[in-house]
Amino acid sequence: MMKTSSDMKNSSNYDIKNWWYYYKWYVLCGIIGLGILIRLIGGAFGLWEKTPDLQIAYVGEIQLPNDTAAAIEDAFASAAGDYNGDGEVLVRLNQYVTNSSETDPLGSDLPLIGDIDNCDSYFFLMDDPETFQKGYRLLANLDGSCPEDSDCSIDGKVVPLTDCAAFSGIDLGTYTDTLLGQETSGSNEELLSGLFLGRRCFYNEETTPYADHCSELWSTLTHVD
């Protein structure tokens, strides 16, 4: 007996419903798994992160507490602008803790070298700017010009962080940190009092994002015309 188009349609619908009955959980699990994979890959490449308007590299012997890092970001954000036009001012502090161990003098510097090579950070916050300049010769003069290749000094290149306009006369708050199971707290201003701020110079056409805006911010912070 020849099947009519109506019979064929009913048979097709039955096959689809039957297939879905047996395989729907496989399909749903596959969709969820694909979503998780996309999220992980995107997170690994920073695809879901908001783009900061400026970045600061902290180079020091100790890791700054989260509260202190947030105070730095907020202080810079109060003086910066929405450079990328996304409707908010976002400042990112990248922390690079130096390793004084003779067994691995370079390993701890690799993330910092990556930051430098990628031109991520425009501002550099340091507890030992002299050693940093001798090692990288990256700090610009106060007017933004690059020093001579042989110039390893920090004269005319850095300013105390607490002398900057964004940090003058404001309450930076306190921090609470836990080290080896012991909780410590203190003043952010006191913790930051020994740090120096500098900006990098660029020896070629490659620069950090929004470098012109960052240069204007530097002038505002340090009152350099």
Side-chain angles (χ1 to χ4, degrees):
M1 186 179 196
M2 184 177 294
K3 290 184 177 181
T4 65
S5 60
S6 178
D7 292 334
M8 295 177 64
K9 183 177 181 180
N10 290 335
S11 177
S12 176
N13 290 338
Y14 174 80
D15 290 340
I16 294 174
K17 290 180 180 179
N18 191 50
W19 183 90
W20 179 250
Y21 177 81
Y22 286 104
Y23 294 101
K24 62 182 177 181
W25 295 114
Y26 294 98
V27 174
L28 292 175
C29 289
I31 293 174
I32 294 173
L34 179 61
I36 294 174
L37 181 61
I38 292 174
R39 185 176 181 85
L40 290 175
I41 294 176
F45 287 94
L47 299 180
W48 318 128
E49 295 181 2
K50 293 183 178 180
T51 303
D53 296 285
L54 66 94
Q55 298 190 57
I56 308 164
Y58 162 75
V59 184
E61 291 188 354
I62 63 169
Q63 181 88 8
L64 295 178
N66 292 334
D67 295 337
T68 307
I72 295 173
E73 292 173 341
D74 290 344
F76 270 85
S78 67
D82 180 15
Y83 303 150
N84 58 21
D86 65 354
E88 65 177 309
V89 180
L90 178 62
V91 176
R92 178 178 297 161
L93 179 71
N94 305 309
Q95 297 204 51
Y96 305 108
V97 179
T98 56
N99 183 7
S100 58
S101 172
E102 296 181 358
T103 60
D104 185 21
L106 180 60
S108 63
D109 291 342
L110 291 179
L112 172 59
I113 294 173
D115 184 311
I116 294 172
D117 289 343
N118 294 331
C119 290
D120 291 332
S121 300
Y122 182 90
F123 295 96
F124 283 82
L125 189 58
M126 305 150 288
D127 61 3
D128 187 0
E130 187 172 359
T131 298
F132 178 85
Q133 181 66 354
K134 287 181 179 179
Y136 297 100
R137 301 186 185 184
L138 196 67
L139 298 177
N141 295 316
L142 292 180
D143 62 2
S145 62
C146 291
E148 298 293 334
D149 291 342
S150 59
D151 184 2
C152 297
S153 71
I154 59 171
D155 296 335
K157 300 180 182 65
V158 298
V159 294
L161 179 65
T162 50
D163 286 353
C164 295
F167 295 84
S168 299
I170 66 171
D171 183 7
L172 295 174
T174 60
Y175 69 87
T176 301
D177 196 21
T178 302
L179 181 62
L180 299 178
Q182 185 173 0
E183 187 176 281
T184 59
S185 61
S187 165
N188 283 327
E189 183 176 0
E190 182 178 349
L191 190 61
L192 298 176
S193 62
L195 299 183
F196 295 85
L197 182 69
R199 60 169 166 170
R200 69 170 296 172
C201 63
F202 303 97
Y203 291 96
N204 52 49
E205 296 181 354
E206 186 176 6
T207 64
T208 61
Y210 320 114
D212 290 340
H213 292 295
C214 291
S215 179
E216 293 177 2
L217 177 59
W218 170 268
S219 297
T220 299
L221 295 175
T222 59
H223 305 288
V224 175
D225 296 326

